[in-house]
Amino acid sequence: MRGDSEAMKSRQLGDITINRILEREAPLARPLDWFDKALPEAVEPHRHWLEPKALDPETGMMILPVQSYLLRTRHHSILIDTCIGCRKTYDGMPEWKDLRDETWLDRLAAAGVGPGDIDYVFCTHLHSDHCGWNTRLVDGRWTPTFPNAKYILAAKEYAASEAAGTAVFLESVLPILEAGQAVLVDMDYALDDQVWLTPAPGHTAGHVAVNIASQGRNAVMIGDMMHSPLQLAYPDWSLNSDDDQALAAKTRRHFLDSHCETDTLVLTAHLPSPSVGHVVPHAERPFDFKYLSA
Ligand SMILES: [Zn+2]
């Protein structure tokens, strides 16, 4: 597993401490398999800057981390997204089915936090790699992993997950409701003046970004607004599996335009380690991403 030291590194945003908690990072899919608009001749000119961290030179697959962000404010310990988890039966992504590696929990502990310490869990959306550790299997029952947490879920996202009724909903979402730990909110919900949501629809209808502010500094966790740095070159490339590809592209383009050359620290779900940095302009393509050092 790559990136252990990176995953453990703490960053300070004003008086908020931010840790990236990595679950895994591996080649996952070829651009042509995931992006309807991708053509080999469109990918080729970008291989030199995407390889080897974002694009695997051997397989041509995009390398994606799956990870959470831990925030510690003066008042709360907060997790944003909860990765894939263990023993999940959803088979939409076969590589992620029935995992048994609990290293993610160890990394959370190494950051100084146990499951009982988490006050809030935010999910940018309710796909299998963003809500998996919401629960774990205890004595045959899916049980909230964080016994003292409120789980903040966009009501619109919850409704779509319920309607889909997949194993993700049954194993990672419904048990949170049944335990009385879910708080269904609007897509612009604010926990306080340091942590709040903004709508970022397209990948899913209820997808949100999580904004963070402290002492004049800002950060935002963008969830699945972007899956690869290739989308810095082609912001209109949306995933085949996005609920609404045109809306996802519009959301991504607006985000990149409005955050380019700003001080806002961007926390990504799936750009390669170290995964956090700033959107900047580039001479030969619409945008670039300046990663913070690991
Ligand atoms: Zn994802």
Side-chain angles (χ1 to χ4, degrees), residues 21 23 68 79 83 102-108 133 146:
I21 311 293
E23 185 179 49
S68 309
L79 263 180
C83 300
E102 299 197 345
T103 304
W104 183 86
L105 283 176
D106 298 337
R107 289 179 177 153
L108 192 62
W133 279 110
F146 310 102

Side-chain angles (χ1 to χ4, degrees), residues 61-294:
M61 288 186 175
M62 298 180 289
I63 298 168
L64 275 76
V66 175
Q67 58 197 331
S68 309
Y69 288 90
L70 169 67
L71 314 180
R72 273 166 290 184
T73 74
R74 270 174 297 139
H75 304 295
H76 306 303
S77 293
I78 298 168
L79 263 180
I80 306 175
D81 286 354
T82 61
C83 300
I84 300 163
C86 280
R87 298 175 182 263
K88 303 289 171 164
T89 66
Y90 179 68
D91 57 7
M93 193 72 78
E95 298 92 329
W96 296 347
K97 187 180 177 184
D98 198 22
L99 301 181
R100 302 296 172 104
D101 179 356
E102 299 197 345
T103 304
W104 183 86
L105 283 176
D106 298 337
R107 289 179 177 153
L108 192 62
V113 170
D117 298 324
I118 298 294
D119 301 304
Y120 294 97
V121 175
F122 284 80
C123 294
T124 58
H125 64 298
L126 295 173
H127 281 172
S128 61
D129 55 323
H130 296 262
C131 64
W133 279 110
N134 279 5
T135 58
R136 56 182 161 178
L137 204 52
V138 179
D139 298 331
R141 282 180 63 94
W142 290 105
T143 305
T145 304
F146 310 102
N148 301 315
K150 291 292 183 195
Y151 291 67
I152 310 294
L153 311 175
K156 191 170 189 176
E157 185 72 7
Y158 176 82
S161 179
E162 183 178 36
T166 68
V168 177
F169 177 73
L170 297 173
E171 295 173 355
S172 303
V173 182
L174 183 58
I176 301 303
L177 262 286
E178 290 176 341
Q181 290 180 243
V183 182
L184 302 183
V185 301
D186 291 337
M187 290 167 72
D188 59 358
Y189 168 84
L191 177 67
D192 52 28
D193 59 357
Q194 291 195 311
V195 181
W196 70 97
L197 305 180
T198 45
H203 181 60
T204 63
H207 186 288
V208 293
V210 183
N211 303 273
I212 308 155
S214 176
Q215 298 175 347
R217 298 185 61 199
N218 293 282
V220 57
M221 161 54 171
I222 64 170
D224 278 7
M225 212 187 289
M226 273 202 294
H227 287 81
S228 165
L230 194 50
Q231 290 165 298
L232 299 162
Y234 302 106
D236 63 328
W237 284 13
S238 290
L239 285 194
N240 307 344
S241 59
D242 283 345
D243 277 0
D244 183 332
Q245 289 194 39
L247 182 58
K250 187 176 167 198
T251 294
R252 182 168 43 256
R253 172 60 100 160
H254 174 73
F255 174 81
L256 291 169
D257 278 336
S258 58
H259 288 80
C260 191
E261 282 190 293
T262 71
D263 293 335
T264 300
L265 183 65
V266 180
L267 316 176
T268 73
H270 293 309
L271 296 202
S273 293
S275 306
V276 302
H278 296 91
V279 180
V280 294
H282 190 275
E284 290 152 20
R285 50 183 181 270
F287 301 101
D288 202 1
F289 195 76
K290 192 171 188 305
Y291 293 89
L292 289 193
S293 57

